Amino acid sequence: MSRYLPLLSGIAIGVLLAVACHTDYKKRIIPNAIPIFILAAGFFTSGSLLMKFVNLAAMVLIIVVAEKALHQHSGGGDIKLYLALSFALGLLSLGIVLMETILIYAIYHALTEKGKLKGCRFPVACFVFPSYCIYFLTSTILL
């Protein structure tokens, strides 16, 4: 059973991101319970507990520096989602998910021509969810 825990926690994270996607799209809010449950699922993903906390601390630093340097602010739910994912996935995997998120958003923007790419507000979870699905499926298939 213990060898299936990382797989099951990865699926649980995907389901939680689907719920976050739905609520972020409908209400433009990510409920506090979703990052908390993703953080809890992170205890069962692969990796040492020490590195999970190091990744979390590093992500806090990255967010603070990025927001100060860019003078742009993400929503509180988005930041909590990033922090929970950094704990559950690690910084490298989260970096892959975020790069895929940017790519999916750019494709969406190019196809719909809605909003503007710089400084616009959009439901982040709606783009993080498919990015995570791509990451999870490819990493599961390749392992």
Side-chain angles (χ1 to χ4, degrees):
M1 179 64 179
S2 65
R3 71 181 204 168
Y4 295 111
L5 279 178
L7 178 65
L8 294 174
S9 63
I11 292 169
I13 291 169
V15 170
L16 289 165
L17 285 174
V19 172
C21 174
H22 176 74
T23 57
D24 200 14
Y25 180 75
K26 291 286 188 184
K27 300 177 184 176
R28 291 291 171 102
I29 190 168
I30 299 172
N32 289 332
I34 291 180
I36 291 170
F37 288 137
I38 290 174
L39 191 74
F43 282 101
F44 301 104
T45 58
S46 59
S48 72
L49 194 57
L50 175 63
M51 283 310 298
K52 290 177 184 294
F53 283 107
V54 168
N55 289 329
L56 184 62
M59 190 64 187
V60 168
L61 182 65
I62 290 167
I63 289 173
V64 168
V65 169
E67 288 198 353
K68 294 288 184 192
L70 299 174
H71 304 289
Q72 299 265 338
H73 301 288
S74 292
D78 300 337
I79 291 173
K80 289 182 272 188
L81 190 64
Y82 299 149
L83 292 173
L85 287 171
S86 72
F87 182 83
L89 304 177
L91 286 180
L92 180 60
S93 297
L94 178 62
I96 293 168
V97 169
L98 291 180
M99 292 303 288
E100 291 172 354
T101 301
I102 292 168
L103 179 63
I104 290 172
Y105 175 73
I107 291 169
Y108 167 79
H109 176 74
L111 293 176
T112 62
E113 297 181 11
K114 289 186 179 180
K116 52 186 177 171
L117 277 174
K118 186 176 179 180
C120 67
R121 297 286 181 193
F122 59 94
V124 171
C126 293
F127 298 96
V128 172
F129 170 62
S131 302
Y132 175 79
C133 290
I134 292 168
Y135 163 78
F136 181 74
L137 291 174
T138 57
S139 65
T140 305
I141 291 170
L142 294 177
L143 293 177

